Amino acid sequence: MEILLAILAAYLLGSVPFAMISAKLFGLADPRTYGSGNPGATNVLRSGNKKAALFTLIGDALKGWLAVFLAQQAELSGMTVGFVALAVFFGHLFPIFLKFKGGKGVATAAGALLALDPILGLMVLGTWLLVAYVSRYSSLAALIAAGTAPLYSALMHGTNGQFAVVGIIAMALIIKHWQNLQRLMAGQESKIGSKKMG
């Protein structure tokens, strides 16, 4: 019962839509009505309000980190902590508060990984930042960071339970960014800060 409650609590925490909260706090339009229609930090940035985008980014990352951290502090088993990481991540992707239509999960995944394994989380985050800085494409950064995350995990710890959790998150991120990948290949993807569709 304790395990199920932890997973449910993580899912509900992941479902908290910080993009929507940010829109309310900063007096912005519903982020689902412009840009990519995605309730996430990158799309909120398309509103032109950097503070709102930063609030969304920090909130989405913090909920991922907090869910895993609390599970660790409760001294739950490693397997349960892994399930909690997945639950908070999928809560963001399929939030009950937004009729199961959520964001793409990059910030929440980063937060969960930072709590699960700080070194791994920093390596993945560093990869995202490097690619985003060089290319100016948030989606490309997310795809490359997701693709390298399981590799980093395997190199550091082998193909253990953590590798499985990281692999599932990585696959989900790539699937959620599939349309972005197609636009990148067609040269139609918008860059960070652009107000165009993307």
Side-chain angles (χ1 to χ4, degrees), residues 2-4 6-8 10 67-68 71-72 74-88 116 159-166 168-169:
E2 183 182 52
I3 295 173
L4 291 176
I7 292 172
L8 177 60
V68 175
Q72 292 169 332
E75 298 184 351
L76 300 177
S77 68
M79 180 180 293
T80 302
V81 171
F83 281 130
V84 164
L86 291 174
V88 70
L116 195 64
T159 53
N160 57 6
Q162 177 179 289
F163 173 80
V165 171
V166 174
I168 292 170
I169 290 175

Side-chain angles (χ1 to χ4, degrees), residues 23-90:
K24 291 287 186 182
L25 287 176
F26 291 90
L28 304 176
D30 186 326
R32 297 171 297 178
T33 63
Y34 59 83
S36 65
N38 177 55
T42 301
N43 199 42
V44 172
L45 184 60
R46 292 188 176 100
S47 71
N49 193 316
K50 293 181 179 180
K51 290 182 179 179
L54 181 61
F55 178 87
T56 304
L57 179 68
I58 292 173
D60 284 344
L62 185 60
K63 67 186 182 183
W65 178 85
L66 183 62
V68 175
F69 174 76
L70 291 176
Q72 292 169 332
Q73 293 304 301
E75 298 184 351
L76 300 177
S77 68
M79 180 180 293
T80 302
V81 171
F83 281 130
V84 164
L86 291 174
V88 70
F89 172 68
F90 281 102

Side-chain angles (χ1 to χ4, degrees), residues 87-167:
V88 70
F89 172 68
F90 281 102
H92 180 81
L93 298 189
F94 307 104
I96 192 171
F97 306 125
L98 296 181
K99 298 180 180 179
F100 306 103
K101 295 179 181 179
K104 295 185 177 177
V106 175
T108 303
L113 289 181
L114 282 168
L116 195 64
D117 185 329
I119 294 177
L120 172 63
L122 288 173
M123 291 174 67
V124 174
L125 182 59
T127 300
W128 188 95
L129 289 170
L130 177 62
V131 177
Y133 178 77
V134 172
S135 71
R136 306 302 297 171
Y137 287 112
S138 174
S139 55
L140 180 62
L143 285 162
I144 293 177
T148 55
L151 176 62
Y152 293 153
S153 182
L155 289 174
M156 292 170 61
H157 306 293
T159 53
N160 57 6
Q162 177 179 289
F163 173 80
V165 171
V166 174

Side-chain angles (χ1 to χ4, degrees), residues 1 13 20-21 34 61 64 112 150 180 187 189:
M1 181 61 73
L13 179 58
M20 308 300 290
I21 295 171
Y34 59 83
N180 299 88
E189 180 74 329

